[in-house]
Amino acid sequence: MSRFTGKVAIVTGGGGGIGSAVVRRLVSEGAKVAVADVFLNSAEAVCEPLGDATIPVQFDAAEPNSIEAMVEKTVEHFGRLDILHNNAAMTDPAKHPLDTDAVNIPVEIWDEIIDINLRGYLLGCKYAIPHMVKGGGGSIVNTASNSGTAGDLARIAYGASKGAIITMTKYIATQHGRQNIRCNSVAPGVVLTEALDATVPGLKEVIKRHILTPEFGDPDDIAALVAFLASDESRYITGENISISGGGLVHQPHYADLLDMMQQHLS
Ligand SMILES: NC(=O)c1ccc[n+]([C@@H]2O[C@H](COP(=O)([O-])OP(=O)(O)OC[C@H]3O[C@@H](n4cnc5c(N)ncnc54)[C@H](O)[C@@H]3O)[C@@H](O)[C@H]2O)c1
C-alpha cells in the first residue's frame, strides 16, 4: 500500500516550483490534495494532469478568512484532513526588492511579508488542526529557509519570517503533540526553480561554490523530504527543522575561498 492512501493534504503555494513538486509526490503515493494558491490558474495547471486526486483552491495567505475557507473547502470536498504543507511565501517581483535592511525597508513591506509568510502559516495551523484532531491526528510541514537561520545582505523581513516559522513549528509540536499532531519545518537552501533561475541570473554560480554536493538540489528533492515528514515513517520526529541545502550551512565560512586557494596551489 502507498504511504498516503486514504490521506488528504493541503499544499499552499501549490502552484509554484516547490509546492507543485510536493503535490505530484503526494499524489503519486496515493494522497488526495488541495492545491492552494493565490493564482487559481497556476493551481489549475498543476491539477489538470492529476485528475480527481486534486482540487485547485484559490486563497490569499494575507487574508485570514480566505485561509479558513481554504481549509473548509478541502474538508468539504475530500471529507477529512491529514496533512498541511504550509509553503506559500510572498513572491511578488515588484515588492521583493524592497525587502532590504533595517534602515531602508518600508514598514508596509515588512508587514506584508510577515503577514503572508508567518501569520499565514499560523492561520493554516489554526484552522487545520481541529480537523486533523477529529480524524485522529496529522502532520504539518512548514517551509522555512536557511535564510531563517543566518544573516544575509538583503531580505531582512523574509529571513525574520522564516526564523520565526522554525520557532513556531516547535511551539505547535509542543502544544499539540499529545493530540497526535506532528509539526516540522524544512529549510531549503537555494533551489533552482524556474522562477528563481530567471529572476536572479548568476546566482547558481555564486551558490555552487558553497555547497558540498556535486549538483544543485531541485524541487523534487524538497518534495521527497516533505513527503517523508508528512508520512508515518517519521512518526517519532516532531518540532525539528531540517536543512536541505547540499551541506551549505555545515562547513566553515571560508570553505569556498580555501578550496580555491588549494586548487591554485596544486596547479
Ligand atoms: N526556491 C528557493 O530557493 C527557496 C529556498 C528556501 C525557501 N524557499 C521557500 O519555498 C517555498 C516555495 O517557494 P518556491 O521557490 O517554490 O517559489 P514559487 O514562487 O515558485 O512558489 C510560491 C508560490 O506561492 C504563491 N503565493 C505567493 N503569495 C501568495 C499568497 N499571498 N497567498 C497564496 N499563495 C501565494 C505563488 O503564487 C507561488 O505559486 C517558499 O516558502 C519559499 O520561501 C524557496
Side-chain angles (χ1 to χ4, degrees):
M1 191 158 84
S2 304
R3 285 193 294 187
F4 301 117
T5 302
K7 304 277 189 194
V8 174
I10 296 174
V11 177
T12 76
I18 291 174
S20 61
V22 172
V23 171
R24 285 188 287 273
R25 180 69 191 242
L26 295 180
V27 169
S28 76
E29 297 193 51
K32 306 279 190 204
V33 183
V35 182
D37 206 283
V38 72
F39 296 120
L40 184 61
N41 59 346
S42 330
E44 285 172 341
V46 172
C47 292
E48 207 261 333
L50 301 171
D52 289 351
T54 56
I55 48 161
V57 180
Q58 197 279 334
F59 91 110
D60 184 347
E63 297 294 333
N65 292 342
S66 97
I67 300 175
E68 184 174 17
M70 164 191 81
V71 171
E72 293 310 317
K73 186 170 178 184
T74 304
V75 175
E76 214 171 274
H77 187 85
F78 288 126
R80 57 183 294 116
L81 183 60
D82 307 279
I83 296 159
L84 171 64
H85 179 39
N86 272 320
N87 170 74
M90 207 281 272
T91 47
D92 184 340
K95 294 177 179 166
H96 238 215
L98 300 174
D99 180 9
T100 50
D101 54 59
V103 174
N104 293 298
I105 186 170
V107 172
E108 60 278 10
I109 293 293
W110 171 275
D111 287 345
E112 191 174 344
I113 291 173
I114 298 295
D115 283 356
I116 293 174
N117 292 16
L118 179 60
R119 191 185 68 186
Y121 282 23
L122 171 80
L123 294 177
C125 296
K126 178 179 175 65
Y127 298 119
I129 288 171
H131 288 292
M132 292 177 167
V133 170
K134 209 186 274 179
S139 178
I140 298 166
V141 185
N142 295 323
T143 306
S145 167
N146 275 358
S147 303
T149 60
D152 214 336
L153 294 171
R155 304 217 291 169
I156 189 168
Y158 178 81
S161 73
K162 294 299 186 179
I165 286 166
I166 293 168
T167 306
M168 187 175 75
T169 296
K170 296 181 193 303
Y171 273 79
I172 290 165
T174 303
Q175 295 172 343
H176 298 283
R178 294 293 172 92
Q179 292 171 295
N180 199 22
I181 303 294
R182 291 186 301 110
C183 187
N184 293 287
S185 57
V186 297
V190 168
V191 177
L192 280 182
T193 56
E194 272 176 43
L196 192 60
D197 209 12
T199 46
V200 197
L203 185 66
K204 189 174 180 173
E205 293 319 309
V206 171
I207 300 296
K208 210 161 181 183
R209 296 181 68 234
H210 299 275
I211 62 172
L212 306 180
T213 51
E215 299 297 333
F216 260 104
D218 61 27
D220 288 338
D221 293 300
I222 313 300
L225 176 59
V226 172
F228 169 67
L229 291 171
S231 79
D232 291 342
E233 279 185 285
S234 60
R235 70 187 188 120
Y236 204 44
I237 302 175
T238 193
E240 302 290 352
N241 177 56
I242 302 181
S243 172
I244 173 160
S245 53
L249 287 188
V250 304
H251 53 68
Q252 302 291 343
H254 47 254
Y255 162 81
D257 297 329
L258 208 53
L259 200 59
D260 283 352
M261 201 173 91
M262 284 163 69
Q263 274 159 359
Q264 272 170 17
H265 201 66
L266 289 177
S267 62

